[in-house]
Amino acid sequence: MGVQQAPTAKGKASAKGLQQAAAKNERKTEAETGKPLAKGAKRFEERSRSSDGKSAGTKQKAK
């Protein structure tokens, strides 16, 4: 859930903390690999392929 969509102050604080932790983890990963991580649709496709070598479109067509 996004920071703006959280219904309570506690939820907003939690969402903000999670967002900051994710950004920190992404920066760490990018520093370790020496290249930026893919963003948006490219990232989705990259993560989909890494799980089993098939694209998301191929997986949906198979069902």
Side-chain angles (χ1 to χ4, degrees):
M1 179 179 293
V3 176
Q4 274 64 21
Q5 293 137 351
T8 65
K10 187 176 180 181
K12 288 180 194 241
S14 178
K16 188 173 183 178
L18 181 60
Q19 192 175 43
Q20 289 173 343
K24 181 180 177 184
N25 188 4
E26 185 174 309
R27 285 191 303 271
K28 178 183 170 192
T29 302
E30 288 176 340
E32 287 174 354
T33 61
K35 63 179 184 172
L37 294 173
K39 304 290 190 259
K42 288 182 180 179
R43 173 107 173 131
F44 178 80
E45 188 64 28
E46 176 186 284
R47 302 308 298 159
S48 177
R49 282 193 187 278
S50 71
S51 66
D52 63 1
K54 298 178 185 175
S55 72
T58 304
K59 290 177 191 178
Q60 287 183 341
K61 290 177 186 174
K63 290 183 179 183

mmCIF file of all heavy atoms in Angstrom, residues 17-35:
data_model
loop_
_atom_site.group_PDB
_atom_site.id
_atom_site.type_symbol
_atom_site.label_atom_id
_atom_site.label_comp_id
_atom_site.label_asym_id
_atom_site.label_seq_id
_atom_site.Cartn_x
_atom_site.Cartn_y
_atom_site.Cartn_z
ATOM 1 N N GLY A 17 8.278 3.505 6.074
ATOM 2 C CA GLY A 17 9.436 2.720 6.506
ATOM 3 C C GLY A 17 9.750 1.594 5.533
ATOM 4 O O GLY A 17 10.911 1.342 5.203
ATOM 5 N N LEU A 18 8.714 0.931 5.052
ATOM 6 C CA LEU A 18 8.902 -0.151 4.087
ATOM 7 C C LEU A 18 9.476 0.393 2.776
ATOM 8 O O LEU A 18 10.377 -0.202 2.193
ATOM 9 C CB LEU A 18 7.562 -0.846 3.822
ATOM 10 C CG LEU A 18 7.591 -2.014 2.844
ATOM 11 C CD1 LEU A 18 8.527 -3.105 3.342
ATOM 12 C CD2 LEU A 18 6.197 -2.568 2.653
ATOM 13 N N GLN A 19 8.978 1.538 2.348
ATOM 14 C CA GLN A 19 9.470 2.165 1.119
ATOM 15 C C GLN A 19 10.953 2.530 1.253
ATOM 16 O O GLN A 19 11.746 2.288 0.334
ATOM 17 C CB GLN A 19 8.632 3.408 0.839
ATOM 18 C CG GLN A 19 8.813 4.016 -0.520
ATOM 19 C CD GLN A 19 7.856 5.175 -0.733
ATOM 20 O OE1 GLN A 19 7.662 6.004 0.164
ATOM 21 N NE2 GLN A 19 7.246 5.227 -1.895
ATOM 22 N N GLN A 20 11.336 3.075 2.387
ATOM 23 C CA GLN A 20 12.733 3.447 2.618
ATOM 24 C C GLN A 20 13.630 2.212 2.676
ATOM 25 O O GLN A 20 14.743 2.213 2.138
ATOM 26 C CB GLN A 20 12.857 4.256 3.899
ATOM 27 C CG GLN A 20 12.273 5.641 3.791
ATOM 28 C CD GLN A 20 12.245 6.372 5.120
ATOM 29 O OE1 GLN A 20 12.362 5.766 6.188
ATOM 30 N NE2 GLN A 20 12.073 7.686 5.065
ATOM 31 N N ALA A 21 13.158 1.149 3.306
ATOM 32 C CA ALA A 21 13.939 -0.086 3.402
ATOM 33 C C ALA A 21 14.135 -0.702 2.015
ATOM 34 O O ALA A 21 15.228 -1.194 1.699
ATOM 35 C CB ALA A 21 13.249 -1.076 4.331
ATOM 36 N N ALA A 22 13.105 -0.666 1.195
ATOM 37 C CA ALA A 22 13.198 -1.214 -0.161
ATOM 38 C C ALA A 22 14.191 -0.414 -0.999
ATOM 39 O O ALA A 22 14.991 -0.986 -1.750
ATOM 40 C CB ALA A 22 11.829 -1.222 -0.821
ATOM 41 N N ALA A 23 14.169 0.911 -0.868
ATOM 42 C CA ALA A 23 15.095 1.766 -1.612
ATOM 43 C C ALA A 23 16.543 1.501 -1.174
ATOM 44 O O ALA A 23 17.451 1.434 -2.008
ATOM 45 C CB ALA A 23 14.735 3.229 -1.416
ATOM 46 N N LYS A 24 16.744 1.327 0.127
ATOM 47 C CA LYS A 24 18.082 1.052 0.650
ATOM 48 C C LYS A 24 18.594 -0.290 0.127
ATOM 49 O O LYS A 24 19.744 -0.400 -0.305
ATOM 50 C CB LYS A 24 18.036 1.031 2.179
ATOM 51 C CG LYS A 24 19.367 0.782 2.834
ATOM 52 C CD LYS A 24 19.243 0.774 4.357
ATOM 53 C CE LYS A 24 20.556 0.458 5.012
ATOM 54 N NZ LYS A 24 20.427 0.364 6.467
ATOM 55 N N ASN A 25 17.720 -1.287 0.126
ATOM 56 C CA ASN A 25 18.087 -2.603 -0.374
ATOM 57 C C ASN A 25 18.407 -2.548 -1.867
ATOM 58 O O ASN A 25 19.355 -3.174 -2.333
ATOM 59 C CB ASN A 25 16.950 -3.594 -0.111
ATOM 60 C CG ASN A 25 17.344 -5.011 -0.425
ATOM 61 O OD1 ASN A 25 18.487 -5.291 -0.770
ATOM 62 N ND2 ASN A 25 16.393 -5.918 -0.293
ATOM 63 N N GLU A 26 17.644 -1.770 -2.617
ATOM 64 C CA GLU A 26 17.892 -1.636 -4.055
ATOM 65 C C GLU A 26 19.244 -0.968 -4.315
ATOM 66 O O GLU A 26 20.003 -1.418 -5.177
ATOM 67 C CB GLU A 26 16.773 -0.821 -4.693
ATOM 68 C CG GLU A 26 16.894 -0.729 -6.199
ATOM 69 C CD GLU A 26 15.695 -0.049 -6.829
ATOM 70 O OE1 GLU A 26 14.556 -0.440 -6.543
ATOM 71 O OE2 GLU A 26 15.922 0.892 -7.609
ATOM 72 N N ARG A 27 19.553 0.087 -3.569
ATOM 73 C CA ARG A 27 20.852 0.754 -3.735
ATOM 74 C C ARG A 27 21.996 -0.201 -3.417
ATOM 75 O O ARG A 27 23.016 -0.240 -4.108
ATOM 76 C CB ARG A 27 20.939 1.994 -2.835
ATOM 77 C CG ARG A 27 20.127 3.172 -3.333
ATOM 78 C CD ARG A 27 20.448 4.452 -2.582
ATOM 79 N NE ARG A 27 20.248 4.347 -1.141
ATOM 80 C CZ ARG A 27 19.107 4.594 -0.509
ATOM 81 N NH1 ARG A 27 18.052 4.962 -1.198
ATOM 82 N NH2 ARG A 27 19.027 4.487 0.792
ATOM 83 N N LYS A 28 21.833 -1.018 -2.364
ATOM 84 C CA LYS A 28 22.858 -1.988 -1.974
ATOM 85 C C LYS A 28 23.064 -3.014 -3.088
ATOM 86 O O LYS A 28 24.197 -3.324 -3.460
ATOM 87 C CB LYS A 28 22.427 -2.695 -0.683
ATOM 88 C CG LYS A 28 23.386 -3.753 -0.212
ATOM 89 C CD LYS A 28 22.846 -4.450 1.022
ATOM 90 C CE LYS A 28 23.678 -5.667 1.342
ATOM 91 N NZ LYS A 28 23.029 -6.522 2.336
ATOM 92 N N THR A 29 21.977 -3.521 -3.634
ATOM 93 C CA THR A 29 22.060 -4.512 -4.710
ATOM 94 C C THR A 29 22.720 -3.919 -5.946
ATOM 95 O O THR A 29 23.566 -4.561 -6.579
ATOM 96 C CB THR A 29 20.659 -5.048 -5.062
ATOM 97 O OG1 THR A 29 20.091 -5.622 -3.887
ATOM 98 C CG2 THR A 29 20.714 -6.088 -6.157
ATOM 99 N N GLU A 30 22.348 -2.695 -6.297
ATOM 100 C CA GLU A 30 22.949 -2.036 -7.453
ATOM 101 C C GLU A 30 24.449 -1.829 -7.241
ATOM 102 O O GLU A 30 25.243 -2.003 -8.165
ATOM 103 C CB GLU A 30 22.259 -0.706 -7.731
ATOM 104 C CG GLU A 30 20.873 -0.865 -8.310
ATOM 105 C CD GLU A 30 20.130 0.432 -8.508
ATOM 106 O OE1 GLU A 30 20.483 1.441 -7.871
ATOM 107 O OE2 GLU A 30 19.202 0.441 -9.312
ATOM 108 N N ALA A 31 24.855 -1.479 -6.032
ATOM 109 C CA ALA A 31 26.278 -1.285 -5.735
ATOM 110 C C ALA A 31 27.038 -2.604 -5.834
ATOM 111 O O ALA A 31 28.161 -2.643 -6.343
ATOM 112 C CB ALA A 31 26.444 -0.682 -4.342
ATOM 113 N N GLU A 32 26.429 -3.690 -5.374
ATOM 114 C CA GLU A 32 27.090 -4.998 -5.410
ATOM 115 C C GLU A 32 27.240 -5.514 -6.843
ATOM 116 O O GLU A 32 28.253 -6.108 -7.181
ATOM 117 C CB GLU A 32 26.301 -6.010 -4.586
ATOM 118 C CG GLU A 32 26.415 -5.800 -3.093
ATOM 119 C CD GLU A 32 25.509 -6.725 -2.297
ATOM 120 O OE1 GLU A 32 24.705 -7.469 -2.889
ATOM 121 O OE2 GLU A 32 25.609 -6.697 -1.061
ATOM 122 N N THR A 33 26.214 -5.304 -7.663
ATOM 123 C CA THR A 33 26.259 -5.810 -9.035
ATOM 124 C C THR A 33 26.996 -4.869 -9.977
ATOM 125 O O THR A 33 27.448 -5.292 -11.037
ATOM 126 C CB THR A 33 24.850 -6.060 -9.598
ATOM 127 O OG1 THR A 33 24.135 -4.833 -9.615
ATOM 128 C CG2 THR A 33 24.111 -7.104 -8.790
ATOM 129 N N GLY A 34 27.094 -3.600 -9.614
ATOM 130 C CA GLY A 34 27.777 -2.628 -10.458
ATOM 131 C C GLY A 34 26.937 -2.103 -11.608
ATOM 132 O O GLY A 34 27.446 -1.456 -12.506
ATOM 133 N N LYS A 35 25.637 -2.406 -11.603
ATOM 134 C CA LYS A 35 24.750 -1.898 -12.644
ATOM 135 C C LYS A 35 23.373 -1.631 -12.029
ATOM 136 O O LYS A 35 22.998 -2.262 -11.039
ATOM 137 C CB LYS A 35 24.621 -2.887 -13.795
ATOM 138 C CG LYS A 35 24.010 -4.208 -13.409
ATOM 139 C CD LYS A 35 23.893 -5.140 -14.602
ATOM 140 C CE LYS A 35 23.181 -6.417 -14.173
ATOM 141 N NZ LYS A 35 22.864 -7.269 -15.275
#
